[in-house]
């Protein structure tokens, strides 16, 4: 999607190796998120960020760490990849928007990174 | 954030209206209803959102019941390209902004 890019799009790695996925945005949005999607589980939130150096855990954060040193980049790191981390990873960005009925968040998702751990 | 309940799957004939229901009986006053869809292997796409009034945009209409405990997403003239998983999400305006997905409804539009 325009304004948000994920890299790489595909990656195959070996068990036990470190892996870093990158999410880059050009929208200057405050909030960024990492999700994983697996068959039978839908989209699950891994970590999210609500500003530079401000991050928090989501539903399935074990085995993952994140960093956000600048507004436009949100990195997801698998310190020691395992086969259970084989998944499709989506990044999302959002910003609060205020209308006549109050505030809401507009979300935009990236195209995903397909990670295979062998 | 309130939990939602959606049917697992639905079929719709091409050209007909697709009506996708969502129950959110524990919704609170400041929580919005969002609808997203995910076409195979792509990232989720925003469709529409609402607070209490019915909403319409170029993609769909959202009907929210008066008690706000349920809503219906309407695709007025479904096409084959509307085949996707549709997610109904309810969330408030907390500082984190995070979006929690359920299992969604798989809509199959048939010729």
């Amino acid at each position: 999607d325009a304004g948000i890019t994920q890299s790489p799009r595909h990656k195959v790695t070996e068990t036990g190796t470190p892996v870093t996925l990158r999410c880059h945005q050009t929208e200057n949005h405050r909030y960024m998120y990492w999700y994983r999607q697996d068959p039978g589980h839908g989209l699950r939130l891994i970590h999210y960020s609500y500003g530079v150096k401000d991050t928090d855990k989501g539903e399935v954060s074990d085995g993952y760490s994140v960093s956000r040193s600048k507004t436009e980049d949100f990195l997801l790191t698998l310190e020691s990849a395992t086969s259970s981390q084989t998944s499709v990873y989506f990044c999302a960005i959002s910003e609060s928007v205020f209308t006549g009925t109050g505030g809401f968040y507009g979300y935009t998702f990236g195209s995903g990174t397909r990670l295979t751990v062998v | 954030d309130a939990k939602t309940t959606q049917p697992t799957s639905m079929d719709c004939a091409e050209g007909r209206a697709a009506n996708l229901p969502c129950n959110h009986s524990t919704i609170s006053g400041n929580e919005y209803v969002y609808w997203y869809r995910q076409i195979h292997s792509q990232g989720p796409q925003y469709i529409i959102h609402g607070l209490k009034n019915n909403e319409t945009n170029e993609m769909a209409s959202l009907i929210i019941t008066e008690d706000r405990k349920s809503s219906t997403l309407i695709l007025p003239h479904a096409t084959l390209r509307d085949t996707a998983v549709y997610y109904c999400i309810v969330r408030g305006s907390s500082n984190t902004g995070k979006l929690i997905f359920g299992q969604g409804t798989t809509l199959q539009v048939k010729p």
Side-chain angles (χ1 to χ4, degrees):
Chain A
D1 284 358
I4 178 171
T5 55
Q6 293 184 230
S7 59
R9 291 297 310 278
H10 302 271
K11 186 172 182 66
V12 179
T13 191
E14 295 185 348
T15 299
T17 60
V19 177
T20 295
L21 309 183
R22 181 185 185 226
C23 179
H24 178 78
Q25 62 150 327
T26 58
E27 304 296 322
N28 200 36
H29 284 185
R30 177 182 176 188
Y31 303 97
M32 300 186 75
Y33 315 83
W34 277 107
Y35 290 85
R36 62 177 288 175
Q37 187 167 35
D38 308 289
H41 288 280
L43 283 144
R44 293 181 291 174
L45 182 65
I46 305 172
H47 280 280
Y48 61 98
S49 169
Y50 44 95
V52 173
K53 297 187 179 179
D54 289 325
T55 65
D56 206 347
K57 298 179 179 180
E59 306 168 83
V60 289
S61 59
D62 287 348
Y64 302 94
S65 63
V66 290
S67 66
R68 192 168 178 201
S69 59
K70 46 187 178 178
T71 299
E72 57 265 36
D73 289 325
F74 192 32
L75 304 180
L76 177 71
T77 298
L78 291 66
E79 301 290 347
S80 178
T82 67
S83 59
S84 65
Q85 293 176 311
T86 292
S87 187
V88 179
Y89 292 86
F90 288 99
C91 176
I93 60 175
S94 76
E95 190 55 88
S96 55
V97 178
F98 292 94
T99 69
T101 55
F104 73 95
Y105 294 87
Y107 299 84
T108 303
F109 284 81
S111 300
T113 295
R114 185 172 297 275
L115 176 67
T116 303
V117 183
V118 298
Chain B
D1 295 330
K3 182 175 180 177
T4 62
T5 304
Q6 299 177 251
T8 302
S9 63
M10 295 181 63
D11 291 341
C12 178
E14 188 178 19
R16 303 296 294 271
N19 296 279
L20 290 87
C22 179
N23 287 319
H24 31 79
S25 59
T26 60
I27 193 170
S28 60
N30 66 346
E31 290 183 315
Y32 285 80
V33 179
Y34 293 81
W35 282 86
Y36 280 76
R37 74 179 182 184
Q38 187 175 25
I39 297 171
H40 180 63
S41 298
Q42 299 179 20
Q45 174 192 24
Y46 166 82
I47 301 173
I48 200 167
H49 76 281
L51 184 62
K52 58 180 68 175
N53 298 321
N54 298 338
E55 303 287 345
T56 296
N57 63 19
E58 64 278 5
M59 289 183 68
S61 295
L62 174 60
I63 308 298
I64 303 174
T65 59
E66 190 170 346
D67 62 8
R68 303 208 324 122
K69 294 183 183 301
S70 66
S71 60
T72 301
L73 177 74
I74 301 172
L75 308 178
H77 305 286
T79 71
L80 299 179
R81 288 175 295 180
D82 292 321
T83 292
V85 179
Y86 287 78
Y87 297 98
C88 168
I89 304 167
V90 174
R91 69 166 312 283
S93 56
S94 67
N95 290 333
T96 64
K98 59 185 178 180
L99 206 60
I100 304 299
F101 287 80
Q103 294 301 310
T105 296
T106 298
L107 175 68
Q108 181 72 48
V109 180
K110 299 184 175 182

